[in-house]
Amino acid sequence: MVNASAPRFRCLATLEPLPAAGLSRAAQWDLAGGRYQFPATIDLVREGVHAHRQTAMQYMSISGMQDKISVRLYRGVLSAVETGGTHLLKPIPSTRFALVDDTPANEALTMLLARQAGISTAAHGLVRLADGELAYITRRFDRLADGSRVLQEDLGSLAEMTPATHGDHWKYNATYETLGRLIEKYCSASLRDRIEFVHRVIFCFVIGNGDAHVRNFSVLRDRDGLTQLSPAYDLLCTRIHLPNDEDLGLGVLAGELDGQFSSRYETLGFYTSADFIELGTRLGITPATVGRLLARYLDPAWGQVVADYVSRSFLSDTAQVRYVATVNDRLAKLRAV
């Protein structure tokens, strides 16, 4: 999979060619929130990140089981902090699973592809730890330039879902249709955000993300009280790590929690474009609008875009092969009639 003609150095965020290792000016601007000073390294190693996470957990409100810590950018240097962080840093996870070392590069690539597809994403990229190992980094979108916070609530919280109310696997005890109705209820520009939400669901299917659960979609409320869907975050091709992972983290249509799938799904055993068009219809989005979202992926050019970015990514050769194979399989499913 590795492209022999690929440049020796490429940006840790955008993958564009560079004369030396590091981050492009555009990537620094994005990650620093409108400044040109963002380092390509941080003076930590993976074990130090894990140790800091354990000691700082009582101060941090960052959810999830993935190893991640809060870091602050100050005068062009990144440092681990307990409070007041500007970014989140995710090293290679301590949990062992297939191709675990590829996890940071996987998330960086998948977020980049989402952005290329027209999805609003959190600022993101890779940095190198003190020993040269890669870690994923993302700028917090719930913080303003002056350090003040923006209210963020994930859709699980809006639905008042907890282990007590929805069981041990509560984060997966919903469907994308029910989440879309929460967006309709809570977002100020409801139709715009419902369209964006359906686009993200389609992208997750195409890219092989089987872990897009209720906490991986959030809304933000600004100082004027306007509420909107947050930028996308936590996007990965989970299939390269978990070959038997589900096609999606949740069911698409509301009845699927009770085993009621579309007739096409019952016949084929997988989702196709028709299921996503039906999802849009139930959320008040015209088939023509969803069709335009799908057209981006059904165009053969999209497969070439994925192959190109994968070949320039920091994934291992094995992970690159699995990534492209996953996307090609999903595109074939979308095209099924």
Side-chain angles (χ1 to χ4, degrees):
M1 274 300 304
V2 175
N3 185 350
S5 63
R8 180 183 176 190
F9 300 114
R10 64 268 199 211
C11 174
L12 289 167
T14 66
L15 301 179
E16 66 183 274
L18 291 180
L23 290 160
S24 68
R25 296 273 286 181
Q28 290 186 53
W29 177 275
D30 190 32
L31 281 163
R35 297 188 298 278
Y36 282 133
Q37 276 190 303
F38 195 89
T41 61
I42 182 170
D43 191 20
L44 287 171
V45 293
R46 192 197 316 177
E47 291 74 16
V49 173
H50 295 163
H52 179 84
R53 179 176 184 268
Q54 292 302 314
T55 59
M57 281 180 71
Q58 60 180 313
Y59 301 100
M60 296 167 62
S61 60
I62 304 166
S63 61
M65 296 302 294
Q66 191 173 5
D67 297 317
K68 52 190 170 186
I69 65 168
S70 182
V71 298
R72 180 165 56 217
L73 176 67
Y74 181 67
R75 294 186 177 179
V77 177
L78 290 167
S79 302
V81 294
E82 294 173 350
T83 60
T86 56
H87 295 72
L88 299 179
L89 182 77
K90 301 181 186 179
I92 294 170
S94 54
T95 304
R96 307 314 295 172
F97 47 80
L99 300 178
V100 64
D101 289 356
D102 284 294
T103 306
N106 180 354
E107 186 163 3
L109 170 64
T110 306
M111 291 285 287
L112 182 57
L113 285 170
R115 183 172 287 190
Q116 293 302 308
I119 291 171
S120 172
T121 69
H124 62 276
L126 295 168
V127 293
R128 291 198 180 274
L129 303 182
D131 57 3
E133 192 170 270
L134 290 172
Y136 177 80
I137 193 162
T138 182
R139 179 162 55 85
R140 299 190 67 151
F141 49 72
D142 61 344
R143 299 290 190 273
L144 299 178
D146 61 4
S148 60
R149 300 189 62 168
V150 177
L151 179 62
Q152 176 186 355
E153 271 195 278
D154 63 66
L155 297 189
S157 296
L158 287 176
E160 300 182 339
M161 296 176 66
T162 67
T165 60
H166 289 77
D168 292 340
H169 301 288
W170 64 277
K171 292 186 293 185
Y172 304 92
N173 198 357
T175 67
Y176 294 117
E177 181 182 343
T178 56
L179 296 190
R181 296 192 187 285
L182 288 172
I183 292 170
E184 182 177 16
K185 178 179 180 180
Y186 288 103
C187 289
S188 303
S190 172
L191 179 58
R192 180 201 66 189
D193 284 351
R194 276 177 281 149
I195 293 171
E196 171 75 3
F197 171 73
V198 170
H199 189 183
R200 293 183 194 182
V201 174
I202 293 170
F203 177 81
C204 286
F205 177 78
V206 168
I207 219 70
N209 181 11
D211 198 42
H213 52 68
V214 299
R215 302 206 67 180
N216 284 344
F217 300 91
S218 294
V219 297
L220 301 174
R221 186 182 300 276
D222 65 22
R223 289 169 173 171
D224 296 324
L226 297 176
T227 304
Q228 63 180 324
L229 192 63
S230 78
Y233 57 93
D234 288 357
L235 298 176
L236 295 95
C237 173
T238 60
R239 184 57 70 95
I240 72 172
H241 304 293
L242 305 169
N244 297 318
D245 200 15
E246 298 290 338
D247 281 354
L248 282 167
L250 307 177
V252 173
L253 305 177
E256 292 178 22
L257 283 178
D258 300 317
Q260 300 173 16
F261 292 82
S262 69
S263 58
R264 186 175 296 274
Y265 186 98
E266 292 285 3
T267 300
L268 298 174
F270 54 79
Y271 297 113
T272 67
S273 293
D275 292 290
F276 299 108
I277 290 173
E278 178 63 21
L279 171 64
T281 299
R282 295 189 184 189
L283 295 178
I285 305 168
T286 66
T289 299
V290 180
R292 286 191 290 271
L293 298 176
L294 290 163
R296 180 186 303 273
Y297 304 104
L298 296 174
D299 186 331
W302 172 253
Q304 292 300 314
V305 168
V306 172
D308 174 57
Y309 274 90
V310 169
S311 71
R312 291 188 283 126
S313 74
F314 292 88
L315 290 174
S316 66
D317 291 357
T318 300
Q320 288 188 23
V321 170
R322 290 189 186 181
Y323 202 109
V324 172
T326 296
V327 173
N328 287 339
D329 172 70
R330 297 303 175 81
L331 294 177
K333 289 178 176 177
L334 276 188
R335 296 187 181 102
V337 295

